[in-house]
Amino acid sequence: MHRLAPPRARDRLGDALFRRVAGPSGPENRQRIHGTPGPRWFGPDEPIRRVHGDASMFVGGLSALLLQSLHPLAMAAVAAHSGYRGDPWGRLQRTSTFLAYTTYGTAEDAQRAVDGVRAVHERVRGRTPDGEPYRAGDPHLLEWVHIAEVDSFLRAHRRYGARPLDPAECDAYVAAAGRVGEALGVVRPPRTTAELARRLDAYRPELRGTDEARAAARFILLRPPLPWPVRVPYGMLAAAAVALLPPWARAPLGLPLLPRAERWCVRPAGAAVTATIRWAMSPPPPSAG
């Protein structure tokens, strides 16, 4: 079906997706990231480049937001300081730009991106509705945000990636992501998938579905700031993101566990919309002759 689509339709869809994800400075950032010579944190063949450059990140990113919201301190910080309701696209664009610079940019630009985030974290502090203090630069809180994100990206790539990683490559991805996490202030981030799983399990006693977390889930899944024609494919991505969550993460957010529907409906739909995004955002093959 994709081969028969007019090239202009592909270009329009790809441009629209890129503008949403990268923002108005996207073309300028892309040129700087990929066009500036110099050493990088990660070489061209490292798994982190394969994961972060794949369309499965659309599913993994949504799933990460849902999983991260289960920590009351992280969710309170997001609700009070991120502006995810008033400017959700701005938050997405800042996150995607950070990932692009640290994954593909020069070492100097990657460090500059990290320094910028750390400066923001230093200003983010407050109290939960229950009166518990938080600060975004707390290494323990940073670790939760980091491992929830890494686990979600990896789960998405294993299920929907164009070239899923083998076990050794999965460990290499976790280790590479750990380099970024450590630069952000995470103390001894996990370096293997086994260690990642143990760290996630260790946080479970701290996790719960607060009113803020459930409100965020409703906003992300049911009330996205999107035109109506786009909501059907977005709904497919959102359902795929929910299906990626660990089973224990569903009930606190009020999300159902429907194994048969997920196997026979959600997964094929998630694969289809991810493949469409990948097709739209990949450069077209060179024309013959």
Side-chain angles (χ1 to χ4, degrees):
M1 179 177 69
H2 294 158
R3 288 195 300 271
L4 300 178
R8 289 184 180 178
R10 171 187 178 139
D11 292 344
R12 284 197 300 269
L13 178 57
D15 288 345
L17 287 167
F18 181 73
R19 285 196 303 271
R20 281 290 191 182
V21 173
S25 300
E28 178 185 342
N29 285 328
R30 179 165 58 184
Q31 176 58 36
R32 182 182 180 98
I33 290 165
H34 298 286
T36 304
R40 264 74 176 160
W41 281 1
F42 308 110
D45 298 325
E46 293 196 44
I48 191 170
R49 286 185 165 225
R50 203 155 103 207
V51 173
H52 290 178
D54 191 84
S56 59
M57 288 287 284
F58 282 78
V59 180
L62 287 175
S63 194
L65 292 175
L66 295 170
L67 186 57
Q68 289 167 342
S69 75
L70 286 175
H71 198 293
L73 301 185
M75 188 62 238
V78 167
H81 299 277
S82 76
Y84 80 92
R85 286 181 179 275
D87 185 24
W89 295 113
R91 186 186 182 209
L92 170 65
Q93 290 155 11
R94 290 188 294 273
T95 300
S96 67
T97 300
F98 174 82
L99 287 170
Y101 269 112
T102 53
T103 305
Y104 306 103
T106 64
E108 182 179 352
D109 281 344
Q111 186 60 54
R112 186 179 293 112
V114 165
D115 292 343
V117 170
R118 293 193 72 152
V120 171
H121 284 169
E122 286 303 310
R123 299 192 296 269
V124 174
R125 55 188 67 212
R127 290 183 178 273
T128 69
D130 295 333
E132 189 174 358
Y134 65 79
R135 58 183 183 89
D138 176 7
H140 185 70
L141 198 56
L142 285 171
E143 181 181 340
W144 165 250
V145 172
H146 172 74
I147 62 176
E149 183 176 271
V150 172
D151 183 70
S152 299
F153 291 169
L154 191 53
R155 283 174 184 264
H157 197 268
R158 281 170 160 170
R159 184 166 296 176
Y160 297 116
R163 293 185 298 130
L165 307 179
D166 63 31
E169 290 172 325
C170 287
D171 284 344
Y173 171 71
V174 174
R179 177 176 182 177
V180 180
E182 196 165 36
L184 285 169
V186 179
V187 179
R188 294 185 299 277
R191 302 290 179 174
T192 66
T193 54
E195 189 179 357
L196 176 64
R198 288 195 295 271
R199 298 284 188 92
L200 281 168
D201 194 57
Y203 272 86
R204 286 184 60 182
E206 302 176 34
L207 308 179
R208 63 180 185 272
T210 62
D211 291 341
E212 290 175 325
R214 287 188 288 270
R218 288 193 297 271
F219 179 80
I220 292 168
L221 299 175
L222 302 177
R223 303 179 190 129
L226 290 168
W228 282 106
V230 184
R231 291 200 177 192
V232 171
Y234 179 87
M236 296 161 68
L237 284 176
V242 171
L244 277 182
L245 287 169
W248 51 261
R250 310 283 191 88
L253 293 173
L255 301 174
L257 181 61
L258 305 169
R260 291 185 179 180
E262 289 174 8
R263 179 178 180 183
W264 297 108
C265 299
V266 173
R267 289 193 186 186
V273 72
T274 303
T276 300
I277 293 170
R278 183 178 297 117
W279 163 79
M281 299 194 73
S282 298
S287 57

